[in-house]
Amino acid sequence: MAYIVDRRLNSKNKSLVNRERFLKRYQKQIRRAVSDAVSRRNITDMEQGESITIPKRDISEPGFRHGQGGKRSIVHTGNKEFVEGDRIQRPPGGAGGGSGSGQASADGEGMEDFVFQISQEEFLEYLFEDLALPNMVKRQLLSTDSFDYHRAGVSEVGNPAQINIVRSMRSAQGRRIALRGKERRRRREVLAALEALEQAGDSPETEAQRSLLKAELTHLNVKIHAIPWLDDFDLKYNLKVKVPKPSPKAVMFCVMDVSGSMTQDIKDTAKRFFFLLYLFLKKNYEKIEVVFIRHHTQAQEVDENTFFYARETGGTVVSSALNLMGDIIEEHYSPSQWNIYVAQASDGDNWHEDNQRCHDALISNILPFVQYYTYIEIGDRDPQGLWYLYEHLQRDFMDRFAIQRVRNNAEIYPVFRELFKRHTCEELD
């Protein structure tokens, strides 16, 4: 058995294998740190790496030592105060009797918590692990630059990396059998004749015939062994052909309420949700379009910078955003060709007369055609009118409609994971 040890150094002389093993071991602490980072960071710093602190109690290593061995007689002192199962109270003032709040070491030395840094890519990997867009369907070819390679038999020419060893050896063996067949038959005849001459005795004629047969035998052996064991035209290669790969065409509509009832804290929470969603889409899906819609009394499609940083405000007419979204779907994103997703964030306030228009727009132009619709209502107040409307719709479209309430920034990441958690039957794109 051969053992191959790869001693090549990774970038910056770091051992990638050991690092992956280390991250896997402490993934619980890393997940907790990543979750905490989402709630405390600014939006612009959301995708950076993170410093992970591991408590010293979690990095203790098991140790082995030799026992004393042999037979020993030990006499343990008894006591008059405790019996088996009693719990001993902690001494006052800490373990060492001091007044400090920390935990002192008995020998005057201690160990600090271990801190290390994870990269931006590792941070995003832990941030979005086990998440996926639900109900993704591969409808048609998105572009011609996405291909799969499929086996299509054997070829006489090809890449050395694709050589088919079994077919090549079979071809070489067949060629050698075919080319050496006549010479091998004649060699058997010559050997039989030489054996017959050996039994006939010695005579001048017999010696002459024996010499001729031995010369012919030598010539036959040269011809047989001159045939190469493997020739160029014996080589066979696995033939692979490029087949266009069906890719899912998907679009995500991000709809955010920027009306006057949305306080700055609520807007900040909504932006955190959408920025998290935007990072998730960029990280996990190469080919997906994002449409940003802001609305107050009027709705408009905006770019990424305007969506996250513009300060325009006004009244609240949610139906304006839903109608605009329906128009965009009709003009640019045919439901027969696109996977359509919607994420909406609001504080739930809306004109009472507008709720019916929202209901009609969702029933007629949006929900029958989307793969998944998510709505988060932000704030610590009681549920508002929009929540009750969407709660009613959720019962009718349970397979594609999800609603959640968020009170503060700390709840954004858990809610996000709940909305986009991967189901066991779904495949990662």
Side-chain angles (χ1 to χ4, degrees), residues 366-423:
I366 298 177
L367 288 181
F369 310 115
V370 301
Q371 301 299 110
Y372 193 55
Y373 194 112
T374 64
Y375 168 73
I376 62 168
E377 187 164 299
I378 307 171
D380 53 5
R381 302 179 300 172
D382 293 334
Q384 303 300 301
L386 207 58
W387 174 268
Y388 294 114
L389 170 63
Y390 285 178
E391 196 173 37
H392 173 73
L393 291 173
Q394 186 187 29
R395 290 193 290 267
D396 297 332
F397 297 90
M398 189 172 298
D399 61 329
R400 66 185 68 183
F401 201 100
I403 59 176
Q404 291 283 343
R405 286 180 54 79
V406 176
R407 291 175 296 181
N408 50 51
N409 292 343
E411 296 182 355
I412 282 292
Y413 185 59
V415 167
F416 183 84
R417 292 196 64 87
E418 179 65 25
L419 290 174
F420 295 102
K421 64 183 177 182
R422 181 192 303 280
H423 301 287

Side-chain angles (χ1 to χ4, degrees), residues 240-409:
K240 292 189 175 183
V241 296
K242 286 172 48 174
V243 177
K245 179 182 178 182
S247 299
K249 299 175 66 173
V251 57
M252 172 65 76
F253 285 88
C254 297
V255 182
M256 181 168 63
D257 183 359
V258 294
S259 61
S261 62
M262 295 276 289
T263 65
Q264 192 59 41
D265 290 340
I266 295 178
K267 288 181 181 178
D268 179 67
T269 302
K271 290 177 182 179
R272 285 176 181 272
F273 174 80
F274 284 116
F275 196 77
L276 204 60
L277 176 60
Y278 186 54
L279 290 178
F280 165 66
L281 297 177
K282 289 200 306 180
K283 171 70 171 61
N284 288 12
Y285 299 91
E286 294 181 0
K287 299 176 180 179
I288 188 170
E289 296 190 15
V290 183
V291 178
F292 297 102
I293 297 178
R294 291 165 53 97
H295 75 89
H296 38 80
T297 55
Q298 296 180 346
Q300 61 178 139
E301 181 183 356
V302 297
D303 57 21
E304 174 189 343
N305 187 68
T306 303
F307 184 81
F308 286 107
Y309 302 109
R311 305 182 64 86
E312 184 181 3
T313 186
T316 308
V317 180
V318 177
S319 63
S320 62
L322 301 180
N323 290 331
L324 175 60
M325 180 167 51
D327 294 340
I328 295 175
I329 292 175
E330 183 178 0
E331 294 177 9
H332 302 289
Y333 302 104
S334 171
S336 62
Q337 300 179 4
W338 290 82
N339 293 279
I340 302 173
Y341 296 88
V342 182
Q344 181 184 0
S346 173
D347 63 346
D349 278 346
N350 190 29
W351 292 104
H352 181 72
E353 296 79 3
D354 189 55
N355 284 339
Q356 184 60 41
R357 292 194 290 268
C358 292
H359 179 273
D360 296 340
L362 287 167
I363 291 294
S364 302
N365 303 325
I366 298 177
L367 288 181
F369 310 115
V370 301
Q371 301 299 110
Y372 193 55
Y373 194 112
T374 64
Y375 168 73
I376 62 168
E377 187 164 299
I378 307 171
D380 53 5
R381 302 179 300 172
D382 293 334
Q384 303 300 301
L386 207 58
W387 174 268
Y388 294 114
L389 170 63
Y390 285 178
E391 196 173 37
H392 173 73
L393 291 173
Q394 186 187 29
R395 290 193 290 267
D396 297 332
F397 297 90
M398 189 172 298
D399 61 329
R400 66 185 68 183
F401 201 100
I403 59 176
Q404 291 283 343
R405 286 180 54 79
V406 176
R407 291 175 296 181
N408 50 51
N409 292 343

